[in-house]
Structure formats: structure tokens, C-alpha cells
């Protein structure tokens, strides 16, 4: 029996005995009897993104991908430093140890995009972790739900059918919050004719077009000297896509005014209970100016109120005269 054959047999037996318990013999059906070695992939990545992400904002996150073989030091030396070992592990007699190629993918909700560059990295093969770097780029679209925790799943995979290294896949997740982005639409008549000295009810419709439910505060600016005003509600909660109506009551206290102006401000705030700084709950206020024009109903030159007053006076005089006539007849 040749010396070379004896060395090959002894080396093969030794490898079977010394490779870690996760290393097994491949199926007998394979044309070449190979020893398969287990590998491991781990990530060095943040568990979460610290601040809410606004729509169309690009967020880049550094990723660190690590790869190693689950082998002892002695088994590693035998496999890497002997031709037969390299043939078993890499099906190659080349003295240069190849690198492992790790494929990287990212999955996220449909309303965002997540990409990793590069999409695959190469890592030196050893029984100690070697690493490579990549960058995750995340962009949030405008349809994201406000301040609801979501996650990105990052997956790293190794596979090489020609080597004696088992396929391995590992995943990690990064949680994040889409930012609250308010978008209120106010539907109200900006100029309206109102009667002096009388109360007028003016409807104001508020629609929430933002990406989450909003608690809306309605306030009135400094009023003029000749205007009393109030609101049916100073605070309402409006679901996403919903419209609510409030009523503004105005009473001009001057008979002969021409125009009176009133500023209305609507301030939204998220109803989320997410653990974030209060500034991330604040929305963008919306204001509009309401112009109240005198409808002329009490103007002296209008003619109609004076005519009606004359009719009332005439009617009262007629009643008094009639009463006196009837009373005299009864006396006589």
C-alpha cells in the first residue's frame, strides 16, 4: 500500500473525528464522498432607528456582515493546508483559499423601499469571523401609517453547491417609525354677508388628509371691537380620511359696519401613544381669514325696514282707535 494512499486514509479518518459535531458525511449517492462543514453568519446592525422618518427622507444604515466556518483550529489547518483537505472542502487543489460570497436582501412594507449596496459581499473563509460592510438605504413613501412600529428584515445567505460547506442563511430586523405628517383641509366660506346685531351660524368642515388620526384644536384670533364670536367645539378628534363639521357663531355688535375680519387657526396633533419626543406628535397649523360683510338689512336707506316699521305703527294706531270706538259705543 503506497504511502500517499495511507496518508489520505488517515487524514480522512482524522477529519471525521475532529470536525465539530455539526459536520456530517454527505449522502452515499453522491459521486464523490465529501465532508460537509457548517458555517455561521451574524450581523452587526442597529436594532432600531432612533427617530421617526418623514416621507421621501432617505435614511442610510451601516451593516456589518460576519462569516465563519464551525471548525476547530486543528481541523482548519488540515483542511486548508493539505491538498486533500482543500479538495474535500473546495474541490480544488489550488493553494489559494477562496472567499465566500454572501447575498444580501432587504424586505419592508409596500409603502417604503429598502435596498442594500452592495447586494453581495465577499468574506475571507476561516474558523474565526471575518466581516464585510454594506449599506442599507431606506425611503418612506407618503402613505406610511403615522408612528406605527414597522420593521425591515435583512437576510444574508451563503450557498455554493460545489463546496463542502453547507448552505447557511440568517436574518435580522430593524424597527422604525414613519413620522406623523398632518394635512388638514378647511372648507368654509371665506366671505359671507351677515346681519348686524344678529347671530349667524357658519359651518366649518375640517378634513384630515394626513397619515394618521389627529386631535385638532380650533382657536380664534383677536376679534375686532364690534364682533362677538364663539365655537361649537374647540377640539375634535378626526380619523384619517374623515371630515368633521364645527360651527362658528358670529354676532356683529355694530349696526353700520362694512366688513369685519376674523382669523381661525386649526392646529393638529397626533393621537399616537408612541414613545417619542412631543415634537414628533405636533402637526402643521392651518389658518384662514373669514370676512364678514354687512348684508345691509339694518341700513336706513334700504327702505324695507322703515316701511315695515310704518306698517306696524299704522296697525297699532288702528287698533287703539278701534278700541276707543268700541269702548264709547259700549258706554253709550
Amino acid at each position: 500500500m503506497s504511502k500517499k494512499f495511507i496518508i489520505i486514509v488517515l487524514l480522512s479518518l482524522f477529519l471525521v473525528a475532529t470536525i465539530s459535531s455539526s459536520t456530517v458525511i454527505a449522502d452515499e449517492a453522491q459521486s464523490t464522498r465529501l465532508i460537509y462543514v457548517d458555517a455561521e453568519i451574524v450581523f452587526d446592525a442597529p436594532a432600531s432607528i432612533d427617530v421617526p422618518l418623514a416621507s421621501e427622507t432617505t435614511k442610510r444604515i451601516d451593516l456589518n456582515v460576519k462569516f465563519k466556518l464551525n471548525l476547530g483550529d486543528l481541523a482548519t489547518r488540515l483542511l486548508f493546508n493539505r491538498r486533500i483537505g482543500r479538495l474535500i472542502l473546495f474541490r480544488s487543489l489550488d493553494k489559494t483559499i477562496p472567499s465566500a460570497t454572501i447575498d444580501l436582501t432587504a424586505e419592508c412594507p409596500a409603502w417604503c423601499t429598502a435596498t442594500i449596496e452592495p447586494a453581495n459581499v465577499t468574506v475571507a473563509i476561516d474558523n474565526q469571523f471575518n466581516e464585510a460592510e454594506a449599506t442599507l438605504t431606506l425611503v418612506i413613501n407618503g402613505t406610511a401609517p403615522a408612528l406605527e412600529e414597522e420593521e425591515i428584515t435583512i437576510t444574508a445567505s451563503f450557498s455554493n453547491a460545489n463546496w463542502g460547506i453547507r448552505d447557511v442563511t440568517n436574518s435580522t430586523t430593524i424597527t422604525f417609525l414613519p413620522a406623523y405628517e398632518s394635512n388638514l383641509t378647511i372648507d368654509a366660506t371665506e366671505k359671507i354677508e351677515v346681519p348686524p346685531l344678529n347671530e349667524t351660524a357658519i359651518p366649518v368642515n375640517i378634513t384630515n388628509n394626513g397619515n394618521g388620526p389627529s386631535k385638532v384644536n380650533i382657536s380664534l384670533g383677536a376679534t375686532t371691537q364690534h364682533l362677538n364670536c364663539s365655537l361649537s367645539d374647540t377640539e375634535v378628534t378626526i380619523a384619517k380620511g374623515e371630515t368633521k363639521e364645527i360651527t362658528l357663531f358670529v354676532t356683529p355688535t355694530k349696526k353700520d359696519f362694512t366688513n369685519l375680519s376674523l382669523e381661525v387657526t386649526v392646529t393638529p396633533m397626533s393621537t399616537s401613544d408612541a414613545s417619542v419626543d412631543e415634537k414628533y406628535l405636533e402637526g402643521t397649523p392651518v389658518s384662514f381669514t373669514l370676512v364678514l360683510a354687512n348684508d345691509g338689512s339694518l341700513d336706513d336707506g334700504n327702505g324695507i325696514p322703515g316701511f315695515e316699521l310704518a306698517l306696524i305703527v299704522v296697525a297699532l294706531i288702528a287698533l287703539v282707535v278701534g278700541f276707543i270706538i268700541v269702548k264709547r259705543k259700549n258706554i253709550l
Side-chain angles (χ1 to χ4, degrees):
M1 186 177 295
S2 69
K3 181 178 178 181
K4 184 175 181 178
F5 179 76
I6 293 173
I7 291 173
I8 291 173
V9 171
L10 291 176
L11 180 59
S12 299
L13 292 174
F14 183 76
L15 287 172
V16 172
T18 57
I19 294 176
S20 65
S21 59
S22 60
T23 304
V24 296
I25 305 300
D27 294 335
E28 293 292 339
Q30 296 188 49
S31 58
T32 304
R33 190 175 184 182
L34 297 176
I35 293 175
Y36 275 81
V37 177
D38 284 336
E40 186 177 353
I41 295 174
V42 297
F43 291 95
D44 184 6
S48 62
I49 297 174
D50 295 337
V51 299
L53 301 179
S55 61
E56 310 309 323
T57 297
T58 299
K59 177 69 175 180
R60 292 182 174 86
I61 301 169
D62 294 331
L63 304 175
N64 198 283
V65 185
K66 301 178 182 181
F67 178 86
K68 75 169 185 175
L69 300 183
N70 289 333
L71 286 173
D73 291 339
L74 181 58
T76 301
R77 288 197 297 272
L78 290 173
L79 284 173
F80 285 15
N81 298 334
R82 300 288 182 177
R83 289 184 178 181
I84 184 60
R86 295 193 295 273
L87 181 63
I88 290 172
L89 195 57
F90 304 113
R91 294 190 178 180
S92 171
L93 296 176
D94 195 323
K95 290 184 179 181
T96 302
I97 304 301
S99 297
T101 298
I102 312 297
D103 296 321
L104 301 172
T105 59
E107 295 181 1
C108 64
W111 39 259
C112 68
T113 57
T115 56
I116 298 179
E117 292 291 340
N120 52 65
V121 294
T122 57
V123 183
I125 299 177
D126 201 346
N127 69 333
Q128 303 296 321
F129 278 118
N130 287 307
E131 60 189 46
E133 294 181 350
T135 301
L136 168 69
T137 300
L138 178 65
V139 179
I140 308 298
N141 299 325
T143 55
L147 300 176
E148 292 186 13
E149 186 173 273
E150 301 289 346
E151 63 182 30
I152 314 158
T153 300
I154 302 166
T155 301
S157 301
F158 164 81
S159 179
N160 191 321
N162 295 322
W163 290 358
I165 302 174
R166 291 189 180 280
D167 295 351
V168 58
T169 298
N170 194 15
S171 297
T172 189
T173 59
I174 300 176
T175 60
F176 67 97
L177 294 174
Y180 168 65
E181 296 180 87
S182 64
N183 181 8
L184 297 180
T185 300
I186 310 300
D187 182 14
T189 304
E190 293 186 359
K191 186 172 184 179
I192 185 171
E193 292 187 343
V194 297
L197 310 181
N198 291 302
E199 183 179 80
T200 300
I202 303 171
V204 178
N205 289 296
I206 306 172
T207 301
N208 179 8
N209 297 311
N211 64 342
S214 297
K215 182 173 63 176
V216 177
N217 177 270
I218 306 98
S219 61
L220 303 177
T223 59
T224 64
Q225 184 180 358
H226 305 295
L227 181 65
N228 291 335
C229 52
S230 61
L231 293 162
S232 61
D233 300 277
T234 58
E235 186 176 278
V236 291
T237 298
I238 310 176
K240 177 182 175 182
E242 184 180 67
T243 299
K244 283 196 175 180
E245 181 180 284
I246 64 166
T247 303
L248 172 62
F249 299 99
V250 296
T251 304
T253 59
K254 187 178 181 181
K255 175 184 175 182
D256 56 351
F257 74 94
T258 301
N259 290 315
L260 298 173
S261 297
L262 176 64
E263 185 176 66
V264 181
T265 300
V266 182
T267 305
M269 177 169 282
S270 173
T271 61
S272 172
D273 58 358
S275 180
V276 295
D277 192 287
E278 186 173 345
K279 67 181 180 180
Y280 295 112
L281 301 176
E282 297 172 353
T284 302
V286 179
S287 297
F288 70 97
T289 299
L290 181 65
V291 177
L292 307 173
N294 192 332
D295 69 356
S297 59
L298 296 185
D299 288 352
D300 292 336
N302 186 277
I304 296 177
F307 176 72
E308 292 175 348
L309 181 60
L311 288 178
I312 294 172
V313 171
V314 170
L316 288 174
I317 292 173
L319 286 173
V320 171
V321 171
F323 175 77
I324 293 172
I325 292 172
V326 170
K327 189 173 182 181
R328 286 183 176 180
K329 284 182 178 182
N330 290 337
I331 292 173
L332 295 176

